[in-house]
Amino acid sequence: MTERELPALTRAEQELVDRYLRIIDLVARLNPARDSGHFDARGCVLAAQALVAEARAIGVAAETMLERGEDELHAATLARAMRALDGERRIARLRLPEN
Protein backbone atom coordinates (compact mmCIF):
# COMPACT_ATOMS: atom_id res chain seq x y z
CA MET A 1 0.00 0.00 0.00
CA THR A 2 1.31 3.43 -0.91
CA GLU A 3 0.88 6.55 1.24
CA ARG A 4 -1.85 7.83 -1.11
CA GLU A 5 -4.04 4.73 -0.81
CA LEU A 6 -6.75 4.95 1.82
CA PRO A 7 -6.10 2.28 4.48
CA ALA A 8 -8.89 0.04 5.75
CA LEU A 9 -10.83 1.91 8.43
CA THR A 10 -13.99 1.25 10.37
CA ARG A 11 -16.95 3.46 9.44
CA ALA A 12 -16.45 5.40 12.69
CA GLU A 13 -12.74 5.90 11.98
CA GLN A 14 -13.62 7.13 8.48
CA GLU A 15 -16.09 9.59 9.99
CA LEU A 16 -13.53 10.77 12.55
CA VAL A 17 -10.87 11.42 9.88
CA ASP A 18 -13.38 13.12 7.57
CA ARG A 19 -14.69 15.40 10.32
CA TYR A 20 -11.17 16.20 11.49
CA LEU A 21 -10.15 17.30 8.00
CA ARG A 22 -13.33 19.36 7.65
CA ILE A 23 -12.41 21.11 10.90
CA ILE A 24 -8.92 21.80 9.50
CA ASP A 25 -10.50 23.31 6.37
CA LEU A 26 -12.76 25.53 8.47
CA VAL A 27 -9.95 26.70 10.74
CA ALA A 28 -7.93 27.52 7.61
CA ARG A 29 -10.82 29.73 6.47
CA LEU A 30 -10.58 31.52 9.83
CA ASN A 31 -6.85 32.22 9.36
CA PRO A 32 -6.62 36.00 8.77
CA ALA A 33 -3.05 35.65 7.47
CA ARG A 34 -3.76 33.03 4.82
CA ASP A 35 -1.97 33.20 1.49
CA SER A 36 -4.79 34.85 -0.46
CA GLY A 37 -4.20 38.09 1.44
CA HIS A 38 -7.96 38.59 1.61
CA PHE A 39 -9.93 38.09 4.81
CA ASP A 40 -13.70 37.93 4.41
CA ALA A 41 -15.55 38.71 7.66
CA ARG A 42 -18.78 37.07 6.42
CA GLY A 43 -16.84 33.94 5.49
CA CYS A 44 -15.30 33.99 8.94
CA VAL A 45 -18.74 34.02 10.59
CA LEU A 46 -19.96 31.16 8.41
CA ALA A 47 -16.80 29.13 9.04
CA ALA A 48 -17.09 29.66 12.80
CA GLN A 49 -20.72 28.52 12.78
CA ALA A 50 -19.84 25.45 10.72
CA LEU A 51 -16.93 24.72 13.06
CA VAL A 52 -19.35 24.33 15.98
CA ALA A 53 -21.41 21.80 14.00
CA GLU A 54 -18.32 19.85 12.95
CA ALA A 55 -17.03 19.78 16.53
CA ARG A 56 -20.31 18.21 17.61
CA ALA A 57 -20.12 15.71 14.76
CA ILE A 58 -16.58 14.63 15.64
CA GLY A 59 -17.78 14.09 19.21
CA VAL A 60 -20.59 11.86 17.92
CA ALA A 61 -18.09 9.89 15.82
CA ALA A 62 -15.86 9.38 18.87
CA GLU A 63 -18.85 8.34 20.98
CA THR A 64 -19.85 5.83 18.31
CA MET A 65 -16.36 4.37 18.38
CA LEU A 66 -16.54 3.98 22.16
CA GLU A 67 -19.98 2.34 21.97
CA ARG A 68 -18.56 -0.20 19.51
CA GLY A 69 -15.60 -0.93 21.75
CA GLU A 70 -13.15 0.97 19.52
CA ASP A 71 -11.39 2.70 22.37
CA GLU A 72 -7.89 2.64 20.86
CA LEU A 73 -6.90 4.57 17.76
CA HIS A 74 -3.92 3.64 15.61
CA ALA A 75 -2.25 6.96 14.87
CA ALA A 76 -0.11 5.68 11.99
CA THR A 77 -3.16 4.30 10.18
CA LEU A 78 -5.15 7.48 10.71
CA ALA A 79 -2.17 9.57 9.53
CA ARG A 80 -1.98 7.47 6.33
CA ALA A 81 -5.68 8.08 5.79
CA MET A 82 -5.23 11.83 6.27
CA ARG A 83 -2.33 11.87 3.79
CA ALA A 84 -4.44 9.97 1.26
CA LEU A 85 -7.14 12.62 1.66
CA ASP A 86 -4.72 15.49 1.00
CA GLY A 87 -4.30 16.27 4.69
CA GLU A 88 -0.79 17.68 4.39
CA ARG A 89 -1.86 20.39 1.93
CA ARG A 90 -4.96 21.14 3.98
CA ILE A 91 -3.01 21.47 7.22
CA ALA A 92 -0.40 23.67 5.52
CA ARG A 93 -3.12 26.31 5.06
CA LEU A 94 -3.01 26.88 8.83
CA ARG A 95 0.57 28.12 8.79
CA LEU A 96 1.58 31.76 8.68
CA PRO A 97 3.00 32.81 5.32
CA GLU A 98 6.72 33.45 5.02
CA ASN A 99 7.88 37.06 5.45
Side-chain angles (χ1 to χ4, degrees), residues 33-98:
R34 65 179 184 253
D35 289 340
S36 70
H38 175 72
F39 187 73
D40 177 30
R42 185 175 313 278
C44 180
V45 170
L46 295 174
Q49 291 169 341
L51 188 58
V52 172
E54 290 298 331
R56 287 187 188 117
I58 204 170
V60 169
E63 288 172 359
T64 301
M65 291 177 72
L66 288 174
E67 290 168 3
R68 294 179 180 169
E70 300 174 39
D71 57 350
E72 185 176 313
L73 299 174
H74 299 280
T77 302
L78 297 179
R80 276 198 330 268
M82 285 186 264
R83 283 187 192 94
L85 296 169
D86 206 18
E88 289 173 333
R89 180 195 59 81
R90 295 161 88 173
I91 289 170
R93 295 175 54 215
L94 301 178
R95 295 189 185 108
L96 292 174
E98 297 292 323

Side-chain angles (χ1 to χ4, degrees), residues 1-63:
M1 175 186 319
T2 68
E3 277 295 311
R4 295 295 171 196
E5 292 179 22
L6 194 60
L9 301 172
T10 66
R11 171 114 22 230
E13 287 173 327
Q14 290 172 4
E15 184 73 13
L16 186 76
V17 168
D18 184 48
R19 297 294 180 170
Y20 175 78
L21 290 174
R22 286 183 193 177
I23 287 170
I24 293 299
D25 291 340
L26 291 167
V27 171
R29 285 178 53 194
L30 294 170
N31 180 359
R34 65 179 184 253
D35 289 340
S36 70
H38 175 72
F39 187 73
D40 177 30
R42 185 175 313 278
C44 180
V45 170
L46 295 174
Q49 291 169 341
L51 188 58
V52 172
E54 290 298 331
R56 287 187 188 117
I58 204 170
V60 169
E63 288 172 359

